[in-house]
């Protein structure tokens, strides 16, 4: 708490003293819990101007398009780090030296296998199930397989649960994909990088040796890094809300997956691809853009612009260059990729789109890259979830550094006032 109290004057009531909560960057906060003494509560639909916690993990400057993870600019992390280096930074709060990195990497890679019963669990689902449905179920089910680390008050349990989850997320994600295309799941390869192993499990088949393309590996690494954390977004808040009850890590991440799935959140990259499928050909782009200008909010939900940034999403600028490298490597024979590049050119140059902050977002470029890799749109949010699991775990760990305070938002009741119930039988 800061040392600069604020005084709120209310008509006909005694002043309310509100403590100031200081930030190292960005806006300070105002502790409004004392409002309860005056019979009032804060009203902030969507909690868009309410801080539910203090966090030292990520900082977003919406005006200057800055995203920092533990103080490090995301541009530097995406260009210089592999995903496990970023994982160490988010979890530990600082960059590792070589010895600590190698120990951390070894701890993650030695837990990549999942129990064989998990594949039997997959067989209980329909083949045409959305992969995120399987992910929600399988991640939650990890608590049934690893019930030896469910004591959230035990730091050793929390650390081992986090290690197991981070190591197994790519395995589960690839398993959900392989099940949907009726191919056998591939065992992980611990000699590969985190991103490289993920690609191997996604695309390898038993009949052929999988050749890892370094351009594709770098692109997957950047996608995971750039989706690792984004402050108190809907899914992270969901994880924190579930964790506030003392729920185990696997249950909390399953809740986060459910929240991420929505088209207004992580599902935006899947919505971007559906938009491209709707446009269908480059010739239809002008007509679609004319329609988009009549409803810019709908266009924003399809992968253009970002509600957190006034101008440009810094992650999108990084992924744009990566996107073009991947397309050059993979080719542009797919008509939807041609549509995507036509849309990008207009969105970056048309004054209307520029003025309205509707440049291509990280979701748009993620969708294009994953499409070029050969993944279906149903897998886009799953890939994003593999990266975002890191941020969720970091926030879940952080909230356990202090005594838990269960999430219990107030409401402004707008229903009927008290009234008597008249039985339907009494009216006969």
């Amino acid at each position: 708490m800061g040392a600069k109290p604020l005084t709120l004057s209310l008509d006909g009531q005694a002043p309310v003293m509100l403590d100031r909560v200081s930030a190292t960057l960005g806006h300070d906060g105002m502790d409004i819990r004392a409002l309860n003494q005056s019979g009032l509560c804060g009203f902030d639909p969507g909690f868009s101007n309410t801080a539910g916690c203090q966090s030292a993990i990520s900082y977003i400057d919406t005006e200057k398009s800055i995203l920092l993870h533990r103080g490090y600019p995301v541009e530097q992390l995406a260009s210089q780090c592999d995903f496990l280096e970023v994982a160490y930074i988010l979890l530990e709060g600082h960059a590792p030296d070589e010895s600590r990195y190698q120990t951390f990497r070894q701890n993650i890679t030695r837990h990549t296998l999942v129990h064989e019963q998990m594949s039997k669990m997959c067989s209980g689902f329909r083949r045409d199930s959305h992969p995120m449905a399987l992910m929600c179920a399988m991640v939650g089910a990890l608590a049934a397989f690893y019930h030896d680390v469910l004591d959230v008050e035990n730091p050793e349990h929390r650390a081992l649960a986090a290690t197991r989850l981070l190591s197994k997320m790519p395995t589960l994600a690839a398993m959900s994909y392989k099940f949907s295309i009726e191919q056998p799941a591939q065992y992980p390869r611990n000699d590969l990088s985190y991103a490289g192993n993920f690609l191997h499990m996604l695309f390898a088949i038993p009949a052929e040796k999988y050749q890892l393309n370094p351009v594709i590996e770098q692109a997957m690494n950047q996608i995971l890094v750039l989706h690792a954390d984004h402050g108190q977004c809907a899914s992270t808040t969901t994880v924190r809300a579930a964790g506030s009850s003392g729920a185990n890590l696997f249950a909390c991440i399953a809740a986060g997956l459910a929240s991420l799935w929505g088209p207004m959140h992580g599902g935006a990259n899947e919505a971007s691809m559906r938009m491209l499928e709707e446009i269908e050909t480059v010739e239809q782009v002008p007509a679609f853009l004319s329609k988009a200008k009549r409803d810019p909010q709908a266009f924003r939900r399809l992968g253009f612009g970002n509600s957190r940034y006034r101008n440009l999403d810094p992650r999108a600028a990084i992924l744009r260059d990566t996107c073009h490298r991947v397309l050059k490597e993979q080719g542009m024979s797919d008509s939807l990729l041609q549509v995507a590049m036509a849309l990008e050119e207009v969105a970056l140059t048309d004054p209307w789109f520029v003025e309205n902050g509707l440049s291509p977002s990280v979701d748009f470029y993620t969708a294009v890259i994953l499409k070029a890799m050969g993944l279906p749109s149903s897998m886009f949010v799953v890939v994003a979830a593999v990266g975002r699991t890191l941020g969720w775990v970091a926030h879940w760990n952080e909230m356990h550094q202090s005594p838990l305070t269960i999430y219990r938002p107030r409401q402004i009741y707008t229903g009927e006032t008290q009234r008597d119930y008249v039985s339907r039988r009494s009216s006969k």
Side-chain angles (χ1 to χ4, degrees):
M1 295 297 176
K4 303 176 182 177
L6 302 171
T7 303
L8 179 64
S9 298
L10 302 170
D11 292 342
Q13 298 187 44
V16 180
M17 303 300 294
L18 304 174
D19 287 322
R20 197 182 190 100
V21 185
S22 298
T24 55
L25 288 172
H27 300 293
D28 287 346
M30 182 172 61
D31 187 346
I32 63 173
R33 286 175 290 184
L35 282 177
N36 187 53
Q37 302 170 10
S38 300
L40 296 171
C41 66
F43 180 61
D44 183 20
F47 311 114
S48 58
N49 195 41
T50 297
C53 66
Q54 292 176 286
S55 179
I57 297 172
S58 295
Y59 169 72
I60 300 171
D61 187 320
T62 59
E63 297 291 335
K64 298 179 181 179
S65 297
I66 293 173
L67 174 59
L68 305 177
H69 293 324
R70 298 292 192 180
Y72 301 109
V74 71
E75 298 91 336
Q76 296 178 15
L77 299 180
S79 62
Q80 301 178 45
C81 298
D82 69 27
F83 182 72
L84 289 183
E85 289 180 84
V86 177
Y88 187 99
I89 288 169
L90 285 184
L91 294 174
E92 300 297 332
H94 55 85
D97 58 25
E98 184 62 22
S99 175
R100 287 187 174 88
Y101 170 73
Q102 291 300 336
T103 300
F104 179 76
R105 183 185 184 282
Q106 184 178 12
N107 287 339
I108 295 293
T109 54
R110 65 190 292 264
H111 287 284
T112 51
L113 281 172
V114 297
H115 199 287
E116 288 295 323
Q117 289 289 103
M118 295 298 287
S119 61
K120 295 181 180 180
M121 181 178 175
C122 277
S123 66
F125 291 89
R126 289 172 51 122
R127 288 282 182 179
D128 58 355
S129 301
H130 196 290
M132 278 296 279
L134 273 69
M135 290 295 289
C136 291
M138 290 193 294
V139 170
L142 289 177
F145 290 91
Y146 303 106
H147 45 75
D148 58 325
V149 292
L150 300 186
D151 182 1
V152 300
E153 296 183 0
N154 185 327
E156 293 182 359
H157 281 210
R158 296 199 303 267
L160 184 52
T163 297
R164 284 174 172 169
L165 183 62
L166 288 171
S167 64
K168 298 177 193 307
M169 280 299 287
T171 310
L172 295 176
M175 185 182 292
S176 70
Y177 172 57
K178 288 295 193 180
F179 178 77
S180 70
I181 60 174
E182 302 187 34
Q183 287 186 7
Q186 297 296 301
Y187 286 116
R189 280 182 52 187
N190 293 346
D191 60 313
L192 298 176
S193 69
Y194 194 89
N197 178 49
F198 189 22
L199 289 166
H200 157 74
M201 291 188 291
L202 286 170
F203 296 116
I205 57 174
E208 300 175 9
K209 183 178 180 181
Y210 178 69
Q211 297 293 331
L212 192 61
N213 184 320
V215 174
I216 304 303
E217 182 182 12
Q218 181 194 33
M220 179 60 80
N221 182 73
Q222 286 197 331
I223 287 174
L224 296 179
V225 168
L226 294 173
H227 284 85
D229 191 58
H230 206 230
Q232 301 304 312
C233 59
S235 57
T236 300
T237 300
T238 300
V239 170
R240 280 185 172 266
S244 74
S245 71
N248 68 79
L249 177 62
F250 307 120
C252 294
I253 302 305
L257 285 165
S259 178
L260 186 74
W261 193 356
M264 294 182 69
H265 193 8
N269 46 38
E270 186 175 351
S272 293
M273 190 51 57
R274 286 201 300 269
M275 170 190 66
L276 299 180
E277 293 168 352
E278 178 185 335
I279 299 172
E280 199 170 1
T281 65
V282 172
E283 290 73 24
Q284 298 298 319
V285 169
F288 179 83
L289 291 176
S290 296
K291 177 182 176 183
K293 290 182 178 181
R294 295 194 295 270
D295 189 2
Q297 283 305 111
F299 196 60
R300 187 181 297 276
R301 290 192 293 270
L302 295 172
F304 288 79
N306 186 290
S307 60
R308 295 294 289 125
Y309 298 99
R310 186 65 56 87
N311 298 305
L312 297 175
D313 181 342
R315 301 169 302 167
I318 302 165
L319 218 52
R320 178 175 183 269
D321 292 338
T322 301
C323 176
H324 285 271
R325 283 197 299 273
V326 169
L327 292 179
K328 182 178 179 181
E329 182 75 14
Q330 300 291 85
M332 287 280 292
S333 58
D334 192 293
S335 62
L336 294 186
L337 296 179
Q338 296 169 15
V339 170
M341 292 301 95
L343 271 178
E344 180 206 34
E345 181 178 359
V346 174
L348 290 175
T349 57
D350 186 298
W352 186 88
F353 288 95
V354 174
E355 292 169 5
N356 284 274
L358 292 173
S359 60
S361 71
V362 67
D363 297 311
F364 175 82
Y365 288 120
T366 297
V368 174
I369 292 171
L370 295 179
K371 172 67 174 177
M373 287 182 184
L375 287 172
S377 58
S378 60
M379 277 298 295
F380 295 175
V381 66
V382 176
V383 173
V386 173
R388 185 54 59 87
T389 297
L390 169 57
W392 293 336
V393 171
H395 283 274
W396 186 85
N397 277 339
E398 183 180 62
M399 68 186 299
H400 284 85
Q401 303 307 311
S402 304
L404 292 179
T405 300
I406 193 165
Y407 276 37
R408 184 62 173 88
R410 296 282 294 274
Q411 66 175 18
I412 306 297
Y413 178 70
T414 59
E416 297 287 345
T417 57
Q418 182 172 327
R419 52 183 173 172
D420 293 325
Y421 173 71
V422 178
S423 172
R424 58 185 174 79
R425 295 183 182 85
S426 63
S427 61
K428 293 181 179 179

